Amino acid sequence: MEPMKIELVKPSELPEAAKRLSAEGTHPLTAMFGRDEQRDENVKGLSIYCVFENTGTHKMEALKAVFKEGEPYRFPTLTYVLPAAAWYEREIQDMFGIVPEGHPDPRPLVLHESFPEDFHPLLKDVAKNTEARGERRYDIHVAHGEGLFEVPVGPIHAGIIEPGHFRFSQAGEAMLQLDAKLFYTHRGLEKIMEGKTPFEALPIVERICGACSIANTWSFCQAVEQIAKTKIPRRAEIIRTLLSELERVTNHVGDLGNIPGGVGFNPAISLGGRTKEMLMRLQEAVAGNRFLRGLIVPGGVSMDITPELRAKIREVLAAAKKNIEDLSEMFADQSNFQNRVRTTGIVRKSTAADLAMVGVGARASGFLHDSRRDFSYGVYPELPFEPALEKDGDVAARIKIRIKEFHVSLRMIEKLLTLLDEEQEMTLSVELPSVKGEGFGISESARGSNFHYVALDGEGRIDRIFVRSASYANWPALPIAVQGDIIPDFPLINKSFELCYACIDR
């Protein structure tokens, strides 16, 4: 993957430059984040990066605006030009104190009421173990009018679901508006990783999200290897690609068993859950743990996929394929289920493009975004495939995408296993030099693309890491998807996106 091209602009020029670099919204906004470079002699200030995917050249392009010492930490909001910038700008304001002037929703995003107003934790002069307690105002957005009422849900939910507060504005059972307040368990992982070597940070990266361990680790290692200008062994690339598809299959199966939970479709829940357990046990056989941790490392992989493991993968996936075929028939045969999922939770293609959605959420709405196709990494160029695409943008479309992708991934895995059978070179990893620089990595998780930006200092330690999960890109679509549907359909719509709380609370 080629290094990211970075263009320097003034903070006041960001909206116009972003409009140009995004090609009027054609090139998606992949990420937007801040960095404290006040101790860097060449910068001596705070900076903002805006990263775009050039769909024509299949390369990353970025804008960088630097606020020099003494300059006001303010810039014109990009949100009116690029709606996808809304969350990023709010987070930058929280973490660095850089204010997006004119932002339509300037409320805190990550730092809730218990944090003081002037606390910006990613500034270098804020210690990692700082205890900050205070009060700030946070207003929930609700609709007003005669006959309307509010339904608060969360942040504490039944079962083991993670915390999130949902405030519905209702007219009868119809959801007119949803305000979702998240980030209740922000862990400060980006701050914790500052000063660590890539290998020291690796166990933290693997735990950003339990469902996307491979996707996060692969993106992180790509960035580190890009900085080191190091090419990893071919066998390692094959294994990384295989692990990514195995993680995708496991998550898609879990989602297909979880979505019918939104309507109490118990036979489908049972079959999906049983099949996912088969795949989780397969992952444990491959990695020694159920989340495929410890396999991808900077410079390659830590272990081979032996002939015995390859046989095991083929055996378990054959059984999983039969179960998913049965589950697909079960979905199709139940007219009550089809009535609940069709035309429910619609996200239109224009909305998906405006919000720069990724993964299943994007492709179910006809917005084609798949980093496996858009960027040359791993051995995906040797695995020709067409990403699954639907146009209706409803719960039914998101189910169809997962079923189609499950079967595509099975074909990919069989090809990858054959490549391992035939590959003669047994080298699994190479040593990386400790060098200063910045790089990015991107990989397609089951939910969509995961983006990592890494900057290393002169000792090869992390000066800045930024992580944008697929869920971060897709969460803003949920309040739009529910509008006009009835509140009993909210669990179904929510599960159809299968958005993660943990990976945005990084």
Side-chain angles (χ1 to χ4, degrees), residues 13-27:
E13 299 171 342
L14 271 174
E16 195 60 38
K19 185 177 180 181
R20 169 175 49 80
L21 210 59
S22 71
E24 303 287 341
T26 302
H27 301 160

Side-chain angles (χ1 to χ4, degrees), residues 10 28-29 54 94 109 112 152 210 336 366 381 423 479:
K10 296 178 180 178
L29 177 66
N54 188 319
D94 282 352
L109 182 72
H112 291 177
N336 287 339
E423 180 60 39

Side-chain angles (χ1 to χ4, degrees), residues 258-489:
N258 199 25
I259 292 171
V263 294
F265 191 0
N266 290 329
I269 298 169
S270 178
L271 182 55
R274 180 159 54 88
T275 308
K276 183 180 181 183
E277 179 61 23
M278 291 167 45
L279 294 167
M280 293 295 286
R281 293 183 183 186
L282 174 62
Q283 291 189 166
E284 185 172 18
V286 170
N289 63 80
R290 290 163 64 90
F291 300 99
L292 298 176
R293 293 171 182 156
L295 295 182
I296 294 182
V297 297
V301 294
S302 63
M303 60 173 282
D304 199 5
I305 305 296
T306 64
E308 293 76 17
L309 283 177
R310 299 201 287 273
K312 178 75 171 177
I313 292 171
R314 287 183 168 108
E315 175 189 346
V316 173
L317 291 185
K321 180 181 179 182
K322 175 65 170 63
N323 285 358
I324 295 305
E325 288 171 348
D326 291 345
L327 188 62
S328 300
E329 290 183 14
M330 198 180 295
F331 288 156
D333 291 343
Q334 290 293 324
S335 58
N336 287 339
F337 181 71
Q338 291 298 320
N339 288 338
R340 292 293 298 274
V341 299
R342 289 174 180 166
T343 70
T344 301
I346 293 175
V347 175
R348 303 186 190 284
K349 181 179 180 181
S350 58
T351 302
D354 285 344
L355 296 180
M357 290 179 67
V358 297
V360 170
R363 296 191 286 272
S365 297
F367 180 52
L368 183 54
H369 186 282
D370 191 320
S371 58
R372 296 174 296 174
R373 181 202 69 147
D374 297 335
F375 295 92
S376 296
Y377 69 95
V379 293
Y380 283 115
E382 299 175 39
L383 306 173
F385 74 102
E386 285 297 322
L389 203 63
E390 293 288 332
K391 62 180 181 179
D392 291 336
D394 55 10
V395 174
R398 292 187 279 276
I399 291 173
K400 290 176 184 176
I401 290 289
R402 288 184 173 91
I403 293 172
K404 288 179 179 179
E405 289 192 359
F406 170 83
H407 291 291
V408 170
S409 290
L410 290 193
R411 293 193 291 272
M412 284 187 180
I413 290 172
E414 180 54 43
K415 173 66 173 176
L416 291 162
L417 292 172
T418 301
L419 289 176
L420 283 178
D421 291 339
E422 298 170 349
E423 180 60 39
Q424 299 300 311
E425 176 57 55
M426 300 302 293
T427 305
L428 297 177
S429 65
V430 294
E431 189 172 344
L432 301 183
S434 295
V435 294
K436 181 179 181 179
E438 58 184 339
F440 79 94
I442 193 166
S443 64
E444 189 75 13
S445 76
R447 295 186 179 102
S449 64
N450 279 16
F451 172 88
H452 284 230
Y453 165 86
V454 178
L456 302 180
D457 63 19
E459 298 179 354
R461 295 182 177 274
I462 294 174
D463 180 74
R464 174 73 169 111
I465 177 171
F466 171 79
V467 178
R468 194 235 63 202
S469 70
S471 291
Y472 192 102
N474 286 351
W475 263 114
L478 181 63
I480 297 172
V482 304
Q483 290 177 358
D485 287 309
I486 59 175
I487 197 166
D489 280 338

Side-chain angles (χ1 to χ4, degrees), residues 24-49:
E24 303 287 341
T26 302
H27 301 160
L29 177 66
T30 303
M32 187 174 176
F33 54 92
R35 183 181 175 190
D36 184 347
E37 299 180 89
Q38 296 181 89
R39 299 176 186 176
D40 189 320
E41 290 296 321
N42 296 320
V43 182
K44 292 185 177 180
L46 303 184
S47 54
I48 290 179
Y49 289 72

